[in-house]
Amino acid sequence: MKKASGIDGSRDWGLEKVYLHSTRQNLWNNDYLEFLVKCVWKIDKPVKIIDFGCGYGYLAQMLLPLVPKESLYKGVDISEDLIDEAREIFSGSKEVCFEVADLNEYEPDAEYDIAICQAVLRHVTKPEDIMKKMIGAVKENGLVICIEPSRRMENAGIYIDNRTYDPFENDDFLKQRWLSEEQSGGRDYQIGMKAPGFMEKLGLKNIGVRINDYVDFISAGTDDFESEQRRFIIDHGVDEKYADSNVYFAARCHVISYGYKK
Ligand SMILES: C[S@@+](CC[C@H](N)C(=O)[O-])C[C@H]1O[C@@H](n2cnc3c(N)ncnc32)[C@H](O)[C@@H]1O
């Protein structure tokens, strides 16, 4: 299997399927995505969509029921494992196809109405170059959408309901980690905030920026509390001792930036 060498040195998302699935169960309010599709982006006729770094096709599952019938979707990802799963999920669907490719080398024709990515620019070493390819993939007036985290906002969105919990406890550690990732030419912890600026620099027009409004409100110790959610908060710097016994919120605040090709 091809390894995801384009991402932060070693991470192969095919090996992180369970985590990916779990985080996707708690990522969007359907009504908010529907509002974006119908009221903000006003997608009212069939569209051809390309999803950069599509994973197992989560966005296809979310978007296709919301866009007009006869819309077409293509997902591209470096992980063969995830693409295999995506093909299985959509087997029998003529409107959907997938391709295994490294986005760093991928050169799509300008044939799409919409190029979208979610949580992908955060994991590539040259996000602006990938955004350029997204712009290259759409026709004139085509829509480019990037849904990306800003790790400072994401971490600020975690709250543990315990008097002894100190939300500032890991700030220095995370700051060092994020800065060293950035300085080593790797991942950009603020990519969600930078994406609109890249869009402007790359010549998109009518740029808009929104925030995903989903908030995960979960009581640890209940049946709803999955081990992968526990992993999420520990990964975000929360001490393990708080992970099992307290109510917490996680507002990931992914930044949704979009703009149109001139
Ligand atoms: C956090 S996952 C997000 C997946 C999907 N967009 C979603 O939201 O469910 C990041 C994805 O980017 C893909 N990816 C990272 N670097 C890539 C590259 N250079 N070329 C193609 N895909 C890449 C990974 O394989 C993984 O599926």
Side-chain angles (χ1 to χ4, degrees):
M1 189 208 315
K2 195 167 179 181
K3 294 279 176 256
S5 54
I7 43 184
D8 54 300
S10 56
R11 200 163 188 173
D12 180 345
W13 284 93
L15 301 176
E16 310 241 19
K17 259 203 264 191
V18 177
Y19 184 61
L20 196 58
H21 273 275
S22 161
T23 52
R24 266 63 201 145
Q25 274 166 32
N26 301 289
L27 197 57
W28 275 97
N29 285 312
N30 282 342
D31 54 7
Y32 188 62
L33 187 59
E34 182 169 10
F35 167 73
L36 290 174
V37 167
K38 295 185 176 162
C39 302
V40 177
W41 301 324
K42 299 182 171 54
I43 303 171
D44 54 9
K45 52 180 187 307
V47 279
K48 204 169 167 186
I49 304 170
I50 181 163
D51 183 359
F52 277 60
C54 63
Y56 64 87
Y58 167 80
L59 273 183
Q61 290 172 287
M62 297 292 291
L63 274 175
L64 287 171
L66 300 176
V67 294
K69 281 196 171 47
E70 291 171 35
S71 290
L72 302 173
Y73 166 99
K74 177 175 189 171
V76 180
D77 201 284
I78 199 168
S79 165
E80 275 179 29
D81 209 9
L82 292 175
I83 291 291
D84 282 350
E85 185 183 352
R87 285 186 175 132
E88 209 172 301
I89 292 171
F90 286 94
S91 64
S93 166
K94 289 195 304 294
E95 294 78 24
V96 177
C97 69
F98 294 95
E99 183 178 337
V100 176
D102 182 345
L103 295 175
N104 295 304
E105 288 151 24
Y106 191 62
E107 296 294 346
D109 292 329
E111 58 178 295
Y112 295 90
D113 302 295
I114 300 174
I116 191 166
C117 72
Q118 173 172 267
V120 174
L121 301 184
R122 164 74 177 132
H123 299 290
V124 294
T125 50
K126 294 183 180 155
E128 199 177 332
D129 288 358
I130 302 301
M131 191 189 283
K132 220 181 273 177
K133 286 175 194 253
M134 293 175 73
I135 296 170
V138 296
K139 304 172 196 166
E140 202 181 317
N141 294 318
L143 174 60
V144 176
I145 305 166
C146 298
I147 306 156
E148 294 291 333
S150 172
R151 280 304 305 271
R152 284 192 73 207
M153 278 213 294
E154 191 166 305
N155 266 77
I158 292 178
Y159 174 73
I160 306 287
D161 192 21
N162 184 307
R163 266 192 316 128
T164 62
Y165 169 63
D166 174 4
F168 305 109
E169 191 177 86
N170 289 301
D171 282 5
D172 280 342
F173 163 73
L174 290 169
K175 179 177 175 185
Q176 293 314 321
R177 186 160 94 183
W178 294 333
L179 289 179
S180 81
E181 278 174 6
E182 200 180 30
Q183 281 153 12
S184 62
R187 311 191 306 150
D188 189 330
Y189 71 103
Q190 299 196 94
I191 186 62
M193 305 296 246
K194 288 187 185 169
F198 289 163
M199 288 183 167
E200 188 173 50
K201 189 172 147 201
L202 295 172
L204 293 183
K205 61 183 177 183
N206 300 334
I207 294 165
V209 190
R210 288 175 177 259
I211 300 284
N212 182 334
D213 75 341
Y214 187 86
V215 180
D216 200 10
F217 170 58
I218 197 94
S219 238
T222 67
D223 288 347
D224 290 341
F225 189 73
E226 293 176 24
S227 62
E228 297 302 325
Q229 283 170 300
R230 187 175 185 278
R231 177 179 154 189
F232 174 83
I233 54 172
I234 292 169
D235 269 4
H236 282 64
V238 174
D239 193 296
E240 204 156 340
K241 69 177 181 264
Y242 296 117
D244 283 325
S245 56
N246 302 288
V247 173
Y248 83 92
F249 298 92
R252 299 185 72 174
C253 304
H254 281 180
V255 184
I256 304 155
S257 315
Y258 58 91
Y260 297 81
K261 186 169 173 173
K262 283 181 186 158

